[in-house]
Every structure is written in structure tokens, then in C-alpha cells.
Amino acid sequence: MKIRKSSVSDINNLLEIFDEARKTIATLGIDQWQNGYPSFDVVREDISLSRSYAVEIDGSVCGTFVMMENEPTYNEIFEGEWLGNEDYIAIHRVAISVKNRGSGISTAIINYASDYANSLGSASLRIDTHSGNKVMRIMLEKNGFIHCGTIYLENGDPRVAYEKVLLTNS
């Protein structure tokens, strides 16, 4: 398994993976990502800002995620609190191809993000998801994330917020 920065040549593969994720999420009866999000423009912008990552197995892209150092919707949290007020890395848009689900890619993504955050001196990882996305919530908790409360997206939609405090080398 290899994790690398996404490139423009990956866009079609990433869009296919997001389409599979949308279909899976729809079967859960939740509306997350059901209006074409993330779109071509969002994926292209993530790549141009160097925050999109591709996961490869045997040379084929089978997963993707985004990492960023600041998430404005995380400035306020409701019905709880973040575990720390220190620097964090936010993870977004995690998606894995249907045929590769259950093969440890999610854990590899979390480990990669943890190593990246540690290299920057960030104290934690933060992520959010739809309350009905049970598969994602179980994966996060299995990988050491703690449910911290609720954040609200720019459009007002609520999301459950998680944080994982990292061990630092200091």
C-alpha cells in the first residue's frame, strides 16, 4: 500500500471512488454527499492546494482523503468540547473503493495522518462525519478517536466531531 499526494491525473479515479461512497452513504439513508459533493471542482482545488492524497494498492488508486491545518467550522463546538486547544490536522473526504473496503486502508490513512501531524508538531487529529454514518464512526473509535461534540458546516448541517490526541516526541 502506498499513500501519496494526489495529482491531476488521479481526478477521474477519485471521482469514481467518491461516487461509490455516495451510493454507499445513500443506502444508509443519510443525505451526506448526495448532491454531487465532492465535485470535480472541489477535487481539483484540493489537488491544487496540495492537500489531497491518494491511496494505491498494486499501482491502482483505491482510496483518498484530504488533510488541512485549519478547519473554520471547528472553531466552535457544541454539546461538548475539543480535547485540546492546540494545533491540529483536520482530515476530510475519506473514501475507499468498494472492492478495497475492509482491507485496512482506513487505519493506514489514520496512521499516515498521525505521522504527518507529528512531523508538523500538531497535537491532534480532528474529523467530522454525519451522525448516521455508523461505519465511519466505528472506524474512528476503533482508531482512537474520541467523540467530542457537534460542529456545524457552513450550510448549517450538524456533524459529529471527533478528535485523536497524538503522542508527541518532545
Side-chain angles (χ1 to χ4, degrees):
M1 184 180 318
K2 176 182 174 184
I3 297 177
R4 60 171 174 77
K5 294 267 183 157
S6 302
S7 67
V8 172
S9 64
D10 294 318
I11 289 177
N12 287 336
N13 288 331
L14 301 182
L15 290 172
E16 284 178 30
I17 292 167
F18 285 128
D19 189 51
E20 289 180 358
R22 268 190 289 282
K23 290 174 183 170
T24 299
I25 291 169
T27 65
L28 298 173
I30 57 178
D31 61 359
Q32 184 179 18
W33 290 9
Q34 295 309 301
N35 295 321
Y37 178 87
S39 66
F40 174 88
D41 291 338
V42 168
V43 173
R44 185 178 58 195
E45 179 181 34
D46 286 339
I47 291 169
S48 73
L49 293 173
S50 220
R51 62 187 185 194
S52 174
Y53 293 80
V55 181
E56 286 183 0
I57 294 179
D58 297 328
S60 295
V61 175
C62 57
T64 185
F65 63 102
V66 166
M67 287 191 295
M68 59 182 65
E69 292 183 44
N70 181 34
E71 172 51 65
T73 62
Y74 292 177
N75 290 343
E76 280 191 90
I77 188 166
F78 302 87
E79 301 163 6
E81 60 186 13
W82 293 115
L83 301 175
N85 294 321
E86 301 174 47
D87 291 334
Y88 64 90
I89 296 297
I91 304 171
H92 289 302
R93 297 186 270 291
V94 177
I96 298 165
S97 66
V98 171
K99 73 177 186 173
N100 293 101
R101 291 182 189 157
S103 62
I105 293 174
S106 296
T107 297
I109 289 170
I110 300 306
N111 291 339
Y112 185 91
S114 297
D115 290 345
Y116 177 76
N118 275 328
S119 76
L120 296 178
S122 296
S124 67
L125 298 174
R126 292 182 183 174
I127 192 168
D128 66 87
T129 192
H130 191 283
S131 63
N133 194 338
K134 304 288 188 219
V135 173
M136 182 67 153
R137 295 180 73 178
I138 289 167
M139 182 280 292
L140 291 172
E141 291 168 10
K142 179 183 126 191
N143 282 285
F145 282 82
I146 305 296
H147 177 231
C148 293
T150 302
I151 60 101
Y152 290 87
L153 303 178
E154 289 177 6
N155 68 4
D157 288 346
R159 294 291 183 260
V160 290
Y162 287 85
E163 186 169 23
K164 178 180 182 173
V165 175
L166 303 173
L167 299 176
T168 58
N169 296 327
S170 50

